[in-house]
Amino acid sequence: MKAQRVEMFVCPSATPADTSGLQKLADSGKIKPDTLVALVGKTEGTGAHDDWGRVWADVSLRDWTARFLGVPVDDVAKHVIFVLSGGCPGVITPHIAAVTREWVDVPDQPGGEKRLVVGRAGSEAMAPEEVGRMGQIRKVAQATHAAMADAGLSDPKDVHLVMVKVPGLTTGSIRDAESRGKTVVSHDLTFGPEGAGVYANDAAALGVAMAPGELPGSMLSDEVVRPHWDWYSEVAMTSSGGEKRHGEVVVFGNSTTSRSHLTIGHAVTKDFIDAEGVRNALRAAGLRFKDGLPDESDLSRLVHVFAKSVIPGSDQVRGQRITLLDDADAYQIGKALGGMLVASVTGRTTNYVSGGERNSHQGPPGGNIVAAVVRDSAPLTPDGRN
């Protein structure tokens, strides 16, 4: 039978247009045109709806990928999914994680350890009047279903991370909607509490929750986006940008049919300063611990960490007042604090940390999602065992 073998390579970026790390991987044969499935990363810039650093990176990466694949730029999205999150405040190193998937022939034998699989899908085009509403929720849910099927995952418990990039709103897209007699969810283009950016992110998260059954679709409507914080996905990491017209979805999970040397695990932090929640994600992925901390001798097996850093809606953390909600730079500070929390546990700065919005359907109220990818300590045998 055919089985997936997934690899992940993390390339720090010197500038938003830096594709040298990817070119080195291509030159060495570590990534090939027929195995590259996704580019996921953090780009320097404001992280806002008009983040030109992210747009610059997206254009540069698509141009490089088109040349690498030998296809027109407009066809790149048919082959490779792009999920770029803008803004690298604090100790977040700009980087791109290249995800590859190779199909290998293996004996048709059940059982074995669960290892990493990946699936990808693009959504139908999303009109500006759908952003932050049921139209976006449904289309993300459909794409998530398709990505799960592409990964060969049917059990929601095997899904550990769903990364989504969806369209946001811009002045131009709002004008387009209103010229057709349509309304939009917000004229605020920020990621503030009533900004279009957070509505887009949260609608996408509810779409992810709808796909594997975390939330039944019958519960969802335009009105539940943002008010109902107890309705959430604990595997969704979503972001939005005005440069997008379609949603792009990458699903990561574990399967006994995989022949990867990687495993993914995830956990949910209970609040903004929960380092133990980060450690739980590392444990779930199989990293060894010593005296309650990651074993220093085992940290080399850690491939990558993905995390959300959503600002709590309350001005209280563990009973103590914080002033973050009153800070004009709360959006950037929120991401910076999340980056420092993850770096303090992992000892590295090339962590994917997205967030800054206040409250979210990505994780429980006050908490955040963390996922970790770890390399096996011993290679798999053909039957899928160490």
PDB file of all heavy atoms in Angstrom, residues 101-125:
ATOM      1  N   ARG A 101       5.792  15.962   1.471  1.00  0.00           N
ATOM      2  CA  ARG A 101       5.080  14.687   1.614  1.00  0.00           C
ATOM      3  C   ARG A 101       5.450  13.782   0.443  1.00  0.00           C
ATOM      4  O   ARG A 101       5.235  14.135  -0.707  1.00  0.00           O
ATOM      5  CB  ARG A 101       3.572  14.913   1.652  1.00  0.00           C
ATOM      6  CG  ARG A 101       2.763  13.632   1.778  1.00  0.00           C
ATOM      7  CD  ARG A 101       1.270  13.912   1.879  1.00  0.00           C
ATOM      8  NE  ARG A 101       0.733  14.501   0.652  1.00  0.00           N
ATOM      9  CZ  ARG A 101      -0.549  14.848   0.489  1.00  0.00           C
ATOM     10  NH1 ARG A 101      -1.401  14.698   1.484  1.00  0.00           N
ATOM     11  NH2 ARG A 101      -0.962  15.371  -0.656  1.00  0.00           N
ATOM     12  N   GLU A 102       5.986  12.643   0.782  1.00  0.00           N
ATOM     13  CA  GLU A 102       6.350  11.648  -0.210  1.00  0.00           C
ATOM     14  C   GLU A 102       5.485  10.405   0.010  1.00  0.00           C
ATOM     15  O   GLU A 102       5.214  10.034   1.158  1.00  0.00           O
ATOM     16  CB  GLU A 102       7.828  11.282  -0.062  1.00  0.00           C
ATOM     17  CG  GLU A 102       8.338  10.264  -1.041  1.00  0.00           C
ATOM     18  CD  GLU A 102       9.792   9.921  -0.802  1.00  0.00           C
ATOM     19  OE1 GLU A 102      10.359  10.400   0.209  1.00  0.00           O
ATOM     20  OE2 GLU A 102      10.359   9.152  -1.598  1.00  0.00           O
ATOM     21  N   TRP A 103       5.034   9.795  -1.074  1.00  0.00           N
ATOM     22  CA  TRP A 103       4.251   8.572  -0.974  1.00  0.00           C
ATOM     23  C   TRP A 103       5.170   7.382  -1.225  1.00  0.00           C
ATOM     24  O   TRP A 103       5.855   7.326  -2.243  1.00  0.00           O
ATOM     25  CB  TRP A 103       3.104   8.571  -1.984  1.00  0.00           C
ATOM     26  CG  TRP A 103       2.068   9.606  -1.659  1.00  0.00           C
ATOM     27  CD1 TRP A 103       1.979  10.864  -2.147  1.00  0.00           C
ATOM     28  CD2 TRP A 103       0.977   9.460  -0.744  1.00  0.00           C
ATOM     29  NE1 TRP A 103       0.903  11.531  -1.599  1.00  0.00           N
ATOM     30  CE2 TRP A 103       0.262  10.686  -0.734  1.00  0.00           C
ATOM     31  CE3 TRP A 103       0.526   8.414   0.069  1.00  0.00           C
ATOM     32  CZ2 TRP A 103      -0.865  10.902   0.046  1.00  0.00           C
ATOM     33  CZ3 TRP A 103      -0.598   8.627   0.845  1.00  0.00           C
ATOM     34  CH2 TRP A 103      -1.281   9.850   0.827  1.00  0.00           C
ATOM     35  N   VAL A 104       5.217   6.467  -0.259  1.00  0.00           N
ATOM     36  CA  VAL A 104       6.124   5.321  -0.349  1.00  0.00           C
ATOM     37  C   VAL A 104       5.328   4.019  -0.298  1.00  0.00           C
ATOM     38  O   VAL A 104       4.245   3.954   0.288  1.00  0.00           O
ATOM     39  CB  VAL A 104       7.162   5.347   0.791  1.00  0.00           C
ATOM     40  CG1 VAL A 104       8.052   6.576   0.668  1.00  0.00           C
ATOM     41  CG2 VAL A 104       6.480   5.331   2.163  1.00  0.00           C
ATOM     42  N   ASP A 105       5.869   2.986  -0.924  1.00  0.00           N
ATOM     43  CA  ASP A 105       5.260   1.657  -0.891  1.00  0.00           C
ATOM     44  C   ASP A 105       5.687   0.942   0.382  1.00  0.00           C
ATOM     45  O   ASP A 105       6.883   0.870   0.704  1.00  0.00           O
ATOM     46  CB  ASP A 105       5.699   0.839  -2.107  1.00  0.00           C
ATOM     47  CG  ASP A 105       5.076   1.348  -3.393  1.00  0.00           C
ATOM     48  OD1 ASP A 105       3.841   1.458  -3.434  1.00  0.00           O
ATOM     49  OD2 ASP A 105       5.834   1.638  -4.341  1.00  0.00           O
ATOM     50  N   VAL A 106       4.708   0.412   1.115  1.00  0.00           N
ATOM     51  CA  VAL A 106       4.990  -0.317   2.349  1.00  0.00           C
ATOM     52  C   VAL A 106       4.133  -1.575   2.393  1.00  0.00           C
ATOM     53  O   VAL A 106       3.107  -1.668   1.704  1.00  0.00           O
ATOM     54  CB  VAL A 106       4.690   0.554   3.598  1.00  0.00           C
ATOM     55  CG1 VAL A 106       5.571   1.795   3.619  1.00  0.00           C
ATOM     56  CG2 VAL A 106       3.226   0.966   3.631  1.00  0.00           C
ATOM     57  N   PRO A 107       4.525  -2.564   3.198  1.00  0.00           N
ATOM     58  CA  PRO A 107       3.692  -3.764   3.344  1.00  0.00           C
ATOM     59  C   PRO A 107       2.315  -3.403   3.878  1.00  0.00           C
ATOM     60  O   PRO A 107       2.167  -2.501   4.712  1.00  0.00           O
ATOM     61  CB  PRO A 107       4.474  -4.618   4.347  1.00  0.00           C
ATOM     62  CG  PRO A 107       5.880  -4.119   4.261  1.00  0.00           C
ATOM     63  CD  PRO A 107       5.775  -2.660   3.972  1.00  0.00           C
ATOM     64  N   ASP A 108       1.301  -4.087   3.400  1.00  0.00           N
ATOM     65  CA  ASP A 108      -0.077  -3.824   3.814  1.00  0.00           C
ATOM     66  C   ASP A 108      -0.337  -4.520   5.141  1.00  0.00           C
ATOM     67  O   ASP A 108      -0.988  -5.557   5.212  1.00  0.00           O
ATOM     68  CB  ASP A 108      -1.052  -4.316   2.749  1.00  0.00           C
ATOM     69  CG  ASP A 108      -2.481  -3.855   3.023  1.00  0.00           C
ATOM     70  OD1 ASP A 108      -2.666  -3.082   3.979  1.00  0.00           O
ATOM     71  OD2 ASP A 108      -3.383  -4.272   2.280  1.00  0.00           O
ATOM     72  N   GLN A 109       0.191  -3.922   6.222  1.00  0.00           N
ATOM     73  CA  GLN A 109       0.071  -4.491   7.556  1.00  0.00           C
ATOM     74  C   GLN A 109      -0.486  -3.450   8.513  1.00  0.00           C
ATOM     75  O   GLN A 109      -0.010  -2.314   8.543  1.00  0.00           O
ATOM     76  CB  GLN A 109       1.432  -4.974   8.073  1.00  0.00           C
ATOM     77  CG  GLN A 109       2.042  -6.107   7.260  1.00  0.00           C
ATOM     78  CD  GLN A 109       3.410  -6.496   7.773  1.00  0.00           C
ATOM     79  OE1 GLN A 109       3.954  -5.855   8.655  1.00  0.00           O
ATOM     80  NE2 GLN A 109       3.963  -7.563   7.215  1.00  0.00           N
ATOM     81  N   PRO A 110      -1.495  -3.799   9.290  1.00  0.00           N
ATOM     82  CA  PRO A 110      -2.071  -2.842  10.246  1.00  0.00           C
ATOM     83  C   PRO A 110      -1.176  -2.661  11.464  1.00  0.00           C
ATOM     84  O   PRO A 110      -0.243  -3.432  11.688  1.00  0.00           O
ATOM     85  CB  PRO A 110      -3.400  -3.494  10.634  1.00  0.00           C
ATOM     86  CG  PRO A 110      -3.125  -4.970  10.500  1.00  0.00           C
ATOM     87  CD  PRO A 110      -2.182  -5.103   9.332  1.00  0.00           C
ATOM     88  N   GLY A 111      -1.498  -1.657  12.259  1.00  0.00           N
ATOM     89  CA  GLY A 111      -0.808  -1.462  13.525  1.00  0.00           C
ATOM     90  C   GLY A 111       0.412  -0.576  13.383  1.00  0.00           C
ATOM     91  O   GLY A 111       0.654   0.053  12.356  1.00  0.00           O
ATOM     92  N   GLY A 112       1.226  -0.542  14.425  1.00  0.00           N
ATOM     93  CA  GLY A 112       2.405   0.301  14.443  1.00  0.00           C
ATOM     94  C   GLY A 112       2.135   1.617  15.133  1.00  0.00           C
ATOM     95  O   GLY A 112       1.016   1.950  15.504  1.00  0.00           O
ATOM     96  N   GLU A 113       3.215   2.379  15.322  1.00  0.00           N
ATOM     97  CA  GLU A 113       3.110   3.670  15.991  1.00  0.00           C
ATOM     98  C   GLU A 113       2.474   4.705  15.066  1.00  0.00           C
ATOM     99  O   GLU A 113       2.639   4.655  13.847  1.00  0.00           O
ATOM    100  CB  GLU A 113       4.507   4.139  16.397  1.00  0.00           C
ATOM    101  CG  GLU A 113       5.200   3.245  17.409  1.00  0.00           C
ATOM    102  CD  GLU A 113       4.563   3.314  18.775  1.00  0.00           C
ATOM    103  OE1 GLU A 113       3.992   4.384  19.095  1.00  0.00           O
ATOM    104  OE2 GLU A 113       4.638   2.331  19.511  1.00  0.00           O
ATOM    105  N   LYS A 114       1.757   5.645  15.671  1.00  0.00           N
ATOM    106  CA  LYS A 114       1.193   6.738  14.887  1.00  0.00           C
ATOM    107  C   LYS A 114       2.268   7.785  14.623  1.00  0.00           C
ATOM    108  O   LYS A 114       2.985   8.199  15.532  1.00  0.00           O
ATOM    109  CB  LYS A 114       0.004   7.372  15.615  1.00  0.00           C
ATOM    110  CG  LYS A 114      -1.224   6.482  15.670  1.00  0.00           C
ATOM    111  CD  LYS A 114      -2.404   7.197  16.310  1.00  0.00           C
ATOM    112  CE  LYS A 114      -3.652   6.315  16.279  1.00  0.00           C
ATOM    113  NZ  LYS A 114      -4.828   7.005  16.872  1.00  0.00           N
ATOM    114  N   ARG A 115       2.350   8.191  13.363  1.00  0.00           N
ATOM    115  CA  ARG A 115       3.323   9.186  12.948  1.00  0.00           C
ATOM    116  C   ARG A 115       2.633  10.271  12.112  1.00  0.00           C
ATOM    117  O   ARG A 115       1.487  10.145  11.718  1.00  0.00           O
ATOM    118  CB  ARG A 115       4.447   8.525  12.136  1.00  0.00           C
ATOM    119  CG  ARG A 115       5.289   7.523  12.946  1.00  0.00           C
ATOM    120  CD  ARG A 115       6.132   8.235  13.995  1.00  0.00           C
ATOM    121  NE  ARG A 115       7.032   7.325  14.685  1.00  0.00           N
ATOM    122  CZ  ARG A 115       6.784   6.765  15.866  1.00  0.00           C
ATOM    123  NH1 ARG A 115       5.626   7.031  16.473  1.00  0.00           N
ATOM    124  NH2 ARG A 115       7.658   5.965  16.434  1.00  0.00           N
ATOM    125  N   LEU A 116       3.376  11.315  11.805  1.00  0.00           N
ATOM    126  CA  LEU A 116       2.814  12.514  11.184  1.00  0.00           C
ATOM    127  C   LEU A 116       2.319  12.275   9.762  1.00  0.00           C
ATOM    128  O   LEU A 116       3.012  11.667   8.939  1.00  0.00           O
ATOM    129  CB  LEU A 116       3.871  13.616  11.170  1.00  0.00           C
ATOM    130  CG  LEU A 116       3.448  14.973  10.593  1.00  0.00           C
ATOM    131  CD1 LEU A 116       2.344  15.611  11.422  1.00  0.00           C
ATOM    132  CD2 LEU A 116       4.664  15.908  10.515  1.00  0.00           C
ATOM    133  N   VAL A 117       1.124  12.774   9.484  1.00  0.00           N
ATOM    134  CA  VAL A 117       0.586  12.877   8.130  1.00  0.00           C
ATOM    135  C   VAL A 117       0.122  14.318   7.929  1.00  0.00           C
ATOM    136  O   VAL A 117      -0.133  15.044   8.888  1.00  0.00           O
ATOM    137  CB  VAL A 117      -0.587  11.902   7.881  1.00  0.00           C
ATOM    138  CG1 VAL A 117      -0.112  10.463   7.868  1.00  0.00           C
ATOM    139  CG2 VAL A 117      -1.700  12.102   8.916  1.00  0.00           C
ATOM    140  N   VAL A 118       0.020  14.717   6.666  1.00  0.00           N
ATOM    141  CA  VAL A 118      -0.404  16.072   6.360  1.00  0.00           C
ATOM    142  C   VAL A 118      -1.404  16.035   5.211  1.00  0.00           C
ATOM    143  O   VAL A 118      -1.313  15.188   4.316  1.00  0.00           O
ATOM    144  CB  VAL A 118       0.809  16.977   6.008  1.00  0.00           C
ATOM    145  CG1 VAL A 118       1.526  16.476   4.769  1.00  0.00           C
ATOM    146  CG2 VAL A 118       0.397  18.429   5.823  1.00  0.00           C
ATOM    147  N   GLY A 119      -2.371  16.920   5.259  1.00  0.00           N
ATOM    148  CA  GLY A 119      -3.338  17.067   4.174  1.00  0.00           C
ATOM    149  C   GLY A 119      -3.530  18.535   3.871  1.00  0.00           C
ATOM    150  O   GLY A 119      -3.355  19.400   4.735  1.00  0.00           O
ATOM    151  N   ARG A 120      -3.881  18.832   2.635  1.00  0.00           N
ATOM    152  CA  ARG A 120      -4.023  20.221   2.222  1.00  0.00           C
ATOM    153  C   ARG A 120      -5.288  20.385   1.394  1.00  0.00           C
ATOM    154  O   ARG A 120      -5.767  19.430   0.760  1.00  0.00           O
ATOM    155  CB  ARG A 120      -2.823  20.657   1.392  1.00  0.00           C
ATOM    156  CG  ARG A 120      -2.695  19.832   0.114  1.00  0.00           C
ATOM    157  CD  ARG A 120      -1.444  20.131  -0.660  1.00  0.00           C
ATOM    158  NE  ARG A 120      -1.333  19.260  -1.824  1.00  0.00           N
ATOM    159  CZ  ARG A 120      -0.329  19.266  -2.670  1.00  0.00           C
ATOM    160  NH1 ARG A 120       0.666  20.099  -2.486  1.00  0.00           N
ATOM    161  NH2 ARG A 120      -0.313  18.445  -3.702  1.00  0.00           N
ATOM    162  N   ALA A 121      -5.819  21.588   1.372  1.00  0.00           N
ATOM    163  CA  ALA A 121      -6.985  21.885   0.533  1.00  0.00           C
ATOM    164  C   ALA A 121      -7.148  23.390   0.434  1.00  0.00           C
ATOM    165  O   ALA A 121      -6.771  24.139   1.342  1.00  0.00           O
ATOM    166  CB  ALA A 121      -8.254  21.263   1.104  1.00  0.00           C
ATOM    167  N   GLY A 122      -7.724  23.817  -0.667  1.00  0.00           N
ATOM    168  CA  GLY A 122      -8.094  25.207  -0.837  1.00  0.00           C
ATOM    169  C   GLY A 122      -9.609  25.322  -0.828  1.00  0.00           C
ATOM    170  O   GLY A 122     -10.318  24.387  -1.221  1.00  0.00           O
ATOM    171  N   SER A 123     -10.107  26.433  -0.346  1.00  0.00           N
ATOM    172  CA  SER A 123     -11.559  26.637  -0.302  1.00  0.00           C
ATOM    173  C   SER A 123     -12.044  27.265  -1.594  1.00  0.00           C
ATOM    174  O   SER A 123     -11.253  27.692  -2.448  1.00  0.00           O
ATOM    175  CB  SER A 123     -11.931  27.548   0.867  1.00  0.00           C
ATOM    176  OG  SER A 123     -11.674  28.904   0.542  1.00  0.00           O
ATOM    177  N   GLU A 124     -13.351  27.341  -1.720  1.00  0.00           N
ATOM    178  CA  GLU A 124     -13.932  28.166  -2.773  1.00  0.00           C
ATOM    179  C   GLU A 124     -13.625  29.637  -2.464  1.00  0.00           C
ATOM    180  O   GLU A 124     -13.315  29.997  -1.328  1.00  0.00           O
ATOM    181  CB  GLU A 124     -15.450  27.962  -2.814  1.00  0.00           C
ATOM    182  CG  GLU A 124     -15.883  26.559  -3.172  1.00  0.00           C
ATOM    183  CD  GLU A 124     -17.395  26.413  -3.156  1.00  0.00           C
ATOM    184  OE1 GLU A 124     -18.092  27.442  -3.053  1.00  0.00           O
ATOM    185  OE2 GLU A 124     -17.872  25.269  -3.237  1.00  0.00           O
ATOM    186  N   ALA A 125     -13.699  30.479  -3.479  1.00  0.00           N
ATOM    187  CA  ALA A 125     -13.476  31.912  -3.276  1.00  0.00           C
ATOM    188  C   ALA A 125     -14.456  32.456  -2.242  1.00  0.00           C
ATOM    189  O   ALA A 125     -15.607  32.022  -2.162  1.00  0.00           O
ATOM    190  CB  ALA A 125     -13.629  32.665  -4.592  1.00  0.00           C
TER     191      ALA A 125
END
